[in-house]
């Protein structure tokens, strides 16, 4: 696998230029994200309405804490929507992946560099405006500087986990002619076991144990555990980051192995 970064920069800049051709897409994404966040946030705030002022409710969350959790979870979901699964599957269907294979680059790394502008643009043009909007509407928890720094590192790792999960999903295009169902199932499973819909702290014991054993926890619950300071000292913070880093390494190896296996099944017809 060729990892010379200079060869992949054009794919990142090209992806950014292509993205900016459809600026209205960010408006639609922002409105959709804000609407989804509003439903989730105000629903859960109703659940915590009976909590004592300054006290904690179910799961050890304060009303401001659960609001922050759910709102930032929505923003993280925006960052994880990198379109890698959709684009990889489409290129396999069309046979365009064959053109990429004759180039002196690694296709998985090409997809990684191409999705980075999508992540950055979604963060700046959608995630930040949604956070600012809701900061005027509902009380939020202000994180400590050290927690904010840990959250930034954890978010970067969560983006890499999401990339690997989406790449694996897109690679199912090698074995099925329609990945729509696969992508829908992936989206639902990830949203639930990542803690985006329901915080893992509120899940029943066995279900929470399953969530902790899966990589999806590192996409939402892990970063939010650090942001809200819901960890046990420095050791607890290191454990969260180490688990995320371990999943990034494990999923990267899995992607590389399955990619080699998938190439053996590739058949492209036509000219």
């Amino acid at each position: 696998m060729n990892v010379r970064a200079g060869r992949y920069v054009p794919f990142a800049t090209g992806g950014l230029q292509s993205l900016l051709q459809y600026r209205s897409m960010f408006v639609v994404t922002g409105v959709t994200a804000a609407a989804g966040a509003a439903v989730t946030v105000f629903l859960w705030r109703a659940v915590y309405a009976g909590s004592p002022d300054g006290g904690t409710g179910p799961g050890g969350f304060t009303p401001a804490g659960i609001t922050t959790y759910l709102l930032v979870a929505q923003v993280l979901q925006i960052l994880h929507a990198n379109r890698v699964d959709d684009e990889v599957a489409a290129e396999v269907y069309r046979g365009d992946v064959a053109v990429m294979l004759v180039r002196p680059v690694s296709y998985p790394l090409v997809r990684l560099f191409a999705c980075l502008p999508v992540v950055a643009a979604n963060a700046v043009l959608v995630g930040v405006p949604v956070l600012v909007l809701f900061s005027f509407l509902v009380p939020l928890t202000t994180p400590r500087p050290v927690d904010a720094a840990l959250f930034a590192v954890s978010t970067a790792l969560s983006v890499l986990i999401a990339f690997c999960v989406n790449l694996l999903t897109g690679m199912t295009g090698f074995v099925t002619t329609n990945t729509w169902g696969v992508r829908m199932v992936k989206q639902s499973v990830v949203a639930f076991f990542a803690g985006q819909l329901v915080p893992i702290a509120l899940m029943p014991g066995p279900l929470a144990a399953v969530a902790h054993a899966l990589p999806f926890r590192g996409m939402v619950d892990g970063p939010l555990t650090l942001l809200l300071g819901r960890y046990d000292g420095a050791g607890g913070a290191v454990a969260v980051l180490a688990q995320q880093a371990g999943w990034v390494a494990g999923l990267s190896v899995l992607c590389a192995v399955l990619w080699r296996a998938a190439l053996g099944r590739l058949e492209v017809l036509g000219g």
Side-chain angles (χ1 to χ4, degrees):
M1 180 180 292
N2 195 323
V3 295
R4 292 180 59 180
R7 294 185 176 183
Y8 300 95
V9 172
F11 294 99
T13 55
L16 179 60
Q17 292 172 350
S18 175
L19 199 64
L20 294 178
Q21 297 298 316
Y22 303 96
R23 289 186 287 270
S24 60
M25 178 183 66
F26 294 108
V27 177
V28 175
T29 304
V31 172
T32 304
V39 171
T40 304
V41 165
F42 289 110
L43 174 64
W44 280 92
R45 285 185 61 80
V47 174
Y48 279 77
S51 299
D53 294 338
T56 59
F61 289 102
T62 63
I66 192 68
T67 303
T68 305
Y69 182 103
L70 296 166
L71 179 58
V72 179
Q74 290 287 328
V75 173
L76 288 173
Q77 191 274 333
I78 295 170
L79 302 188
H80 299 156
N82 51 37
R83 301 188 300 181
V84 169
D85 49 355
D86 190 21
E87 292 179 353
V88 170
E91 290 188 344
V92 173
Y93 298 154
R94 296 193 302 263
D96 295 346
V97 67
V99 177
M100 195 65 69
L101 294 178
V102 301
R103 296 176 177 174
V105 292
S106 163
Y107 181 76
L109 286 179
V110 167
R111 299 281 15 132
L112 173 61
F113 275 76
C115 87
L116 292 179
V118 178
V119 175
N122 282 340
V124 174
L125 301 179
V126 180
V128 172
V130 169
L131 283 175
V132 172
L133 171 64
F134 277 86
S135 68
F136 290 107
L137 299 177
V138 291
L140 300 174
T141 298
T142 302
R144 299 178 302 172
V146 64
D147 293 338
L150 290 170
F151 172 75
V153 176
S154 184
T155 297
L157 292 171
S158 79
V159 168
L160 294 177
I161 294 174
F163 168 77
C164 292
V165 171
N166 286 343
L167 179 61
L168 290 171
T169 304
M171 285 165 57
T172 59
F174 284 100
V175 294
T176 178
T177 57
N178 188 346
T179 62
W180 183 85
V182 177
R183 286 185 280 121
M184 291 301 102
V185 170
K186 182 269 299 182
Q187 185 175 337
S188 300
V189 170
V190 168
F192 184 78
F193 285 106
Q196 177 192 336
L197 301 177
V198 179
I200 294 178
L202 297 176
M203 293 182 181
L207 206 54
V210 173
H212 279 276
L214 295 174
F216 314 127
R217 185 214 171 203
M219 296 170 64
V220 174
D221 186 79
L224 285 166
T225 296
L226 300 176
L227 180 69
L228 298 176
R230 293 169 58 88
Y231 54 89
D232 187 14
V238 171
V240 173
L241 295 176
Q243 186 182 42
Q244 287 184 288
W247 277 117
V248 170
L251 290 174
S252 298
V253 172
L254 181 61
C255 287
V257 172
L258 292 183
W259 176 251
R260 286 182 177 276
L263 292 183
R265 298 177 55 91
L266 180 63
E267 294 183 5
V268 178
L269 305 178

